Amino acid sequence: MTSQKSFKQRVRSRMDRTGESYTAARAHLITDPEPVPSSAPADEPAPRAGAGAATIRERVSGTKLTEATGRDYTAWFALLDAWEATARPHTEIAAWLVEEHGVNGWWAQTVTVAYEQERGLRVPGQKKDGFAANASKTVNVPVERLFAAFADPELRARWLPVEAAERTAKPGRRFTADLPEATRIAVTFQAKGETKALVGIEHTRITTAARAAGWKSDWRTWLVELKKLLED
Protein backbone atom coordinates (compact mmCIF):
# COMPACT_ATOMS: atom_id res chain seq x y z
CA MET A 1 0.00 0.00 0.00
CA THR A 2 1.10 3.61 -0.53
CA SER A 3 0.78 4.32 3.21
CA GLN A 4 3.05 1.37 4.01
CA LYS A 5 5.67 2.59 1.55
CA SER A 6 5.48 6.10 3.00
CA PHE A 7 5.91 4.77 6.53
CA LYS A 8 8.96 2.71 5.58
CA GLN A 9 10.47 5.76 3.91
CA ARG A 10 9.98 7.71 7.14
CA VAL A 11 11.67 4.91 9.09
CA ARG A 12 14.69 4.90 6.77
CA SER A 13 14.84 8.70 6.84
CA ARG A 14 15.00 8.59 10.63
CA MET A 15 17.69 5.88 10.46
CA ASP A 16 19.81 8.11 8.23
CA ARG A 17 19.29 11.06 10.56
CA THR A 18 19.83 9.34 13.92
CA GLY A 19 21.93 6.28 13.14
CA GLU A 20 19.32 4.04 14.83
CA SER A 21 18.56 0.50 13.72
CA TYR A 22 15.42 -0.12 11.65
CA THR A 23 13.69 -1.61 14.71
CA ALA A 24 14.52 1.36 16.95
CA ALA A 25 13.53 3.97 14.36
CA ARG A 26 10.28 2.12 13.65
CA ALA A 27 9.45 1.96 17.37
CA HIS A 28 9.92 5.72 17.78
CA LEU A 29 7.64 6.51 14.85
CA ILE A 30 4.95 4.13 16.07
CA THR A 31 5.06 5.37 19.67
CA ASP A 32 5.29 9.06 18.80
CA PRO A 33 3.37 9.60 15.57
CA GLU A 34 2.82 13.00 14.03
CA PRO A 35 0.04 14.57 16.14
CA VAL A 36 -2.18 15.70 13.27
CA PRO A 37 -1.22 14.25 9.88
CA SER A 38 -2.64 15.56 6.65
CA SER A 39 -5.21 12.75 6.54
CA ALA A 40 -6.64 13.66 9.96
CA PRO A 41 -9.14 16.48 10.46
CA ALA A 42 -7.28 19.64 11.46
CA ASP A 43 -9.64 20.24 14.38
CA GLU A 44 -9.44 16.67 15.68
CA PRO A 45 -7.64 16.21 19.00
CA ALA A 46 -4.74 13.79 19.08
CA PRO A 47 -5.48 10.46 20.82
CA ARG A 48 -4.36 11.47 24.28
CA ALA A 49 -6.24 13.07 27.13
CA GLY A 50 -6.08 14.23 30.69
CA ALA A 51 -7.87 12.91 33.74
CA GLY A 52 -11.63 12.62 33.42
CA ALA A 53 -11.42 12.70 29.64
CA ALA A 54 -13.97 11.19 27.31
CA THR A 55 -13.12 7.97 25.52
CA ILE A 56 -11.56 8.08 22.07
CA ARG A 57 -14.85 6.86 20.55
CA GLU A 58 -16.60 9.84 22.11
CA ARG A 59 -13.98 12.28 20.85
CA VAL A 60 -13.38 10.92 17.35
CA SER A 61 -16.49 9.84 15.46
CA GLY A 62 -16.84 6.51 13.72
CA THR A 63 -17.70 8.37 10.52
CA LYS A 64 -14.37 10.20 10.51
CA LEU A 65 -12.54 6.99 11.31
CA THR A 66 -14.22 5.21 8.40
CA GLU A 67 -13.41 8.07 6.03
CA ALA A 68 -9.74 7.98 7.07
CA THR A 69 -9.14 4.22 7.37
CA GLY A 70 -11.90 2.43 5.46
CA ARG A 71 -13.30 0.74 8.58
CA ASP A 72 -15.37 1.86 11.57
CA TYR A 73 -14.60 1.02 15.20
CA THR A 74 -16.63 -2.20 15.18
CA ALA A 75 -14.81 -3.53 12.13
CA TRP A 76 -11.38 -2.63 13.47
CA PHE A 77 -12.15 -4.16 16.87
CA ALA A 78 -13.30 -7.41 15.25
CA LEU A 79 -10.11 -7.54 13.20
CA LEU A 80 -7.97 -6.90 16.28
CA ASP A 81 -9.86 -9.54 18.29
CA ALA A 82 -9.21 -12.10 15.54
CA TRP A 83 -5.51 -11.19 15.76
CA GLU A 84 -5.71 -11.64 19.57
CA ALA A 85 -4.62 -8.06 20.18
CA THR A 86 -5.67 -8.11 23.84
CA ALA A 87 -2.54 -10.17 24.53
CA ARG A 88 -0.21 -7.75 22.75
CA PRO A 89 1.44 -4.48 23.89
CA HIS A 90 0.29 -1.09 22.66
CA THR A 91 3.28 -0.47 20.37
CA GLU A 92 2.90 -3.84 18.64
CA ILE A 93 -0.79 -3.22 17.96
CA ALA A 94 -0.15 0.21 16.47
CA ALA A 95 2.74 -1.15 14.39
CA TRP A 96 0.56 -3.95 13.03
CA LEU A 97 -2.09 -1.47 11.94
CA VAL A 98 0.52 0.67 10.18
CA GLU A 99 2.55 -2.07 8.56
CA GLU A 100 -0.08 -4.70 7.76
CA HIS A 101 -3.05 -2.45 7.00
CA GLY A 102 -1.43 0.79 5.83
CA VAL A 103 -3.09 2.92 8.52
CA ASN A 104 -1.58 6.37 9.04
CA GLY A 105 0.37 6.57 12.33
CA TRP A 106 -2.04 9.05 13.94
CA TRP A 107 -5.07 6.95 13.07
CA ALA A 108 -3.29 3.76 14.14
CA GLN A 109 -2.85 5.34 17.57
CA THR A 110 -6.52 6.36 17.58
CA VAL A 111 -7.69 2.83 16.81
CA THR A 112 -5.25 1.27 19.25
CA VAL A 113 -6.19 3.49 22.20
CA ALA A 114 -9.90 3.11 21.42
CA TYR A 115 -9.51 -0.67 21.30
CA GLU A 116 -7.60 -0.75 24.60
CA GLN A 117 -10.28 1.37 26.24
CA GLU A 118 -13.07 -0.76 24.80
CA ARG A 119 -11.48 -3.99 26.02
CA GLY A 120 -10.61 -2.61 29.47
CA LEU A 121 -6.87 -2.52 28.87
CA ARG A 122 -6.70 1.20 29.73
CA VAL A 123 -9.04 3.89 31.00
CA PRO A 124 -9.59 7.36 29.48
CA GLY A 125 -6.68 9.62 30.35
CA GLN A 126 -4.24 6.75 30.84
CA LYS A 127 -1.03 6.81 28.83
CA LYS A 128 1.75 4.26 28.50
CA ASP A 129 3.67 5.92 31.35
CA GLY A 130 0.72 6.70 33.62
CA PHE A 131 -1.97 9.36 33.63
CA ALA A 132 -1.85 12.95 32.40
CA ALA A 133 -3.34 16.29 33.38
CA ASN A 134 -3.61 19.27 31.06
CA ALA A 135 -4.18 22.98 31.61
CA SER A 136 -3.79 26.21 29.65
CA LYS A 137 -4.12 29.94 30.17
CA THR A 138 -3.94 33.08 28.05
CA VAL A 139 -1.95 35.85 29.72
CA ASN A 140 -1.73 39.47 28.61
CA VAL A 141 2.05 39.70 28.43
CA PRO A 142 4.63 39.08 25.67
CA VAL A 143 5.47 35.43 25.14
CA GLU A 144 9.05 36.07 26.34
CA ARG A 145 7.76 37.24 29.70
CA LEU A 146 5.46 34.23 30.02
CA PHE A 147 8.34 31.88 29.21
CA ALA A 148 10.53 33.58 31.83
CA ALA A 149 7.89 32.88 34.49
CA PHE A 150 8.74 29.19 34.05
CA ALA A 151 12.41 29.30 33.14
CA ASP A 152 13.56 31.84 35.76
CA PRO A 153 13.75 29.98 39.12
CA GLU A 154 13.21 33.12 41.21
CA LEU A 155 10.20 34.24 39.21
CA ARG A 156 8.81 30.70 39.11
CA ALA A 157 8.99 30.41 42.88
CA ARG A 158 6.69 33.42 43.22
CA TRP A 159 3.69 31.55 41.81
CA LEU A 160 4.50 27.82 41.64
CA PRO A 161 4.48 26.27 45.15
CA VAL A 162 6.20 22.98 44.18
CA GLU A 163 9.77 22.23 43.16
CA ALA A 164 10.46 22.06 39.42
CA ALA A 165 13.82 20.79 38.21
CA GLU A 166 14.41 22.10 34.69
CA ARG A 167 15.17 19.53 32.01
CA THR A 168 15.08 21.52 28.76
CA ALA A 169 14.25 25.06 27.72
CA LYS A 170 13.73 26.59 24.28
CA PRO A 171 13.12 30.34 24.83
CA GLY A 172 9.60 31.37 23.96
CA ARG A 173 8.67 27.90 22.77
CA ARG A 174 9.03 25.01 25.21
CA PHE A 175 10.02 24.20 28.79
CA THR A 176 10.19 20.79 30.46
CA ALA A 177 10.85 19.92 34.09
CA ASP A 178 10.64 17.16 36.67
CA LEU A 179 8.09 17.67 39.44
CA PRO A 180 7.36 15.88 42.72
CA GLU A 181 6.03 12.29 42.71
CA ALA A 182 8.37 11.43 39.82
CA THR A 183 6.11 13.33 37.42
CA ARG A 184 7.04 15.61 34.55
CA ILE A 185 5.67 18.67 32.78
CA ALA A 186 6.01 19.78 29.18
CA VAL A 187 5.07 23.43 28.74
CA THR A 188 4.49 25.07 25.37
CA PHE A 189 4.13 28.76 24.57
CA GLN A 190 2.38 30.51 21.72
CA ALA A 191 2.40 34.25 20.98
CA LYS A 192 -1.06 35.70 20.39
CA GLY A 193 0.24 39.11 19.47
CA GLU A 194 2.89 41.43 20.87
CA THR A 195 1.34 41.59 24.34
CA LYS A 196 -0.60 38.35 24.66
CA ALA A 197 0.49 34.72 24.87
CA LEU A 198 -0.90 31.26 25.54
CA VAL A 199 0.74 28.69 27.80
CA GLY A 200 -0.21 25.02 27.65
CA ILE A 201 0.84 22.42 30.20
CA GLU A 202 0.86 18.65 29.92
CA HIS A 203 1.67 17.00 33.26
CA THR A 204 2.53 13.32 32.76
CA ARG A 205 3.71 10.18 34.59
CA ILE A 206 0.99 10.53 37.21
CA THR A 207 0.23 7.29 39.04
CA THR A 208 -3.58 7.36 39.26
CA ALA A 209 -6.57 9.04 37.65
CA ALA A 210 -7.53 10.54 41.01
CA ARG A 211 -4.09 12.07 41.46
CA ALA A 212 -4.21 13.42 37.91
CA ALA A 213 -7.49 15.15 38.73
CA GLY A 214 -5.80 16.67 41.77
CA TRP A 215 -2.89 17.98 39.73
CA LYS A 216 -5.28 19.39 37.13
CA SER A 217 -7.14 21.31 39.82
CA ASP A 218 -3.84 22.60 41.20
CA TRP A 219 -2.69 23.80 37.80
CA ARG A 220 -5.89 25.74 37.28
CA THR A 221 -5.27 27.53 40.57
CA TRP A 222 -1.58 28.11 39.89
CA LEU A 223 -2.17 29.50 36.40
CA VAL A 224 -4.64 32.00 37.80
CA GLU A 225 -1.94 33.11 40.25
CA LEU A 226 0.58 33.30 37.40
CA LYS A 227 -1.76 35.47 35.35
CA LYS A 228 -2.33 37.85 38.27
CA LEU A 229 1.39 38.08 38.99
CA LEU A 230 2.39 38.89 35.42
CA GLU A 231 -0.48 41.19 34.55
CA ASP A 232 -0.21 43.19 37.76
Side-chain angles (χ1 to χ4, degrees):
M1 291 184 181
T2 302
S3 297
Q4 286 179 279
K5 183 177 180 181
S6 176
F7 178 77
K8 290 180 179 178
Q9 289 174 338
R10 288 173 55 208
V11 173
R12 297 195 181 283
S13 176
R14 182 182 175 93
M15 290 169 63
D16 293 340
R17 188 173 69 254
T18 66
E20 295 170 329
S21 66
Y22 185 91
T23 300
R26 167 182 166 277
H28 277 289
L29 291 173
I30 291 297
T31 304
D32 300 308
E34 298 173 8
V36 183
S38 58
S39 61
D43 60 348
E44 200 69 76
R48 65 190 209 188
T55 65
I56 290 296
R57 293 191 72 171
E58 292 171 329
R59 298 170 60 214
V60 182
S61 72
T63 299
K64 289 181 178 178
L65 179 66
T66 302
E67 291 174 352
T69 68
R71 291 183 174 89
D72 62 11
Y73 286 107
T74 300
W76 278 119
F77 293 172
L79 197 64
L80 287 166
D81 283 339
W83 185 59
E84 299 182 347
T86 55
R88 304 173 189 269
H90 175 94
T91 302
E92 185 179 347
I93 297 172
W96 184 73
L97 291 170
V98 171
E99 297 178 352
E100 297 300 323
H101 295 278
V103 181
N104 177 283
W106 189 95
W107 286 104
Q109 288 289 323
T110 300
V111 173
T112 301
V113 174
Y115 179 78
E116 291 172 329
Q117 291 175 350
E118 187 79 6
R119 297 296 182 260
L121 304 177
R122 75 162 70 196
V123 299
Q126 185 177 6
K127 305 180 70 174
K128 65 177 182 180
D129 55 359
F131 290 82
N134 300 281
S136 63
K137 179 67 69 175
T138 297
V139 185
N140 294 313
V141 296
V143 69
E144 295 81 6
R145 176 64 172 165
L146 186 56
F147 173 81
F150 286 82
D152 183 330
E154 293 186 4
L155 182 55
R156 186 172 67 233
R158 295 176 61 186
W159 64 273
L160 185 64
V162 296
E163 290 293 326
E166 179 182 317
R167 294 179 58 85
T168 63
K170 294 183 179 180
R173 295 178 56 192
R174 184 175 174 85
F175 175 85
T176 65
D178 291 325
L179 262 65
E181 303 176 19
T183 62
R184 183 173 297 174
I185 56 169
V187 187
T188 55
F189 306 86
Q190 182 180 355
K192 292 293 186 179
E194 294 184 359
T195 59
K196 180 182 292 187
L198 172 69
V199 58
I201 296 171
E202 183 182 31
H203 192 155
T204 58
R205 304 191 176 191
I206 304 171
T207 55
T208 67
R211 191 68 194 96
W215 278 112
K216 186 178 184 70
S217 177
D218 287 340
W219 277 112
R220 287 174 174 169
T221 299
W222 297 337
L223 289 180
V224 169
E225 293 300 316
L226 171 63
K227 183 179 176 70
K228 290 171 56 179
L229 172 66
L230 296 185
E231 293 184 356
D232 288 347

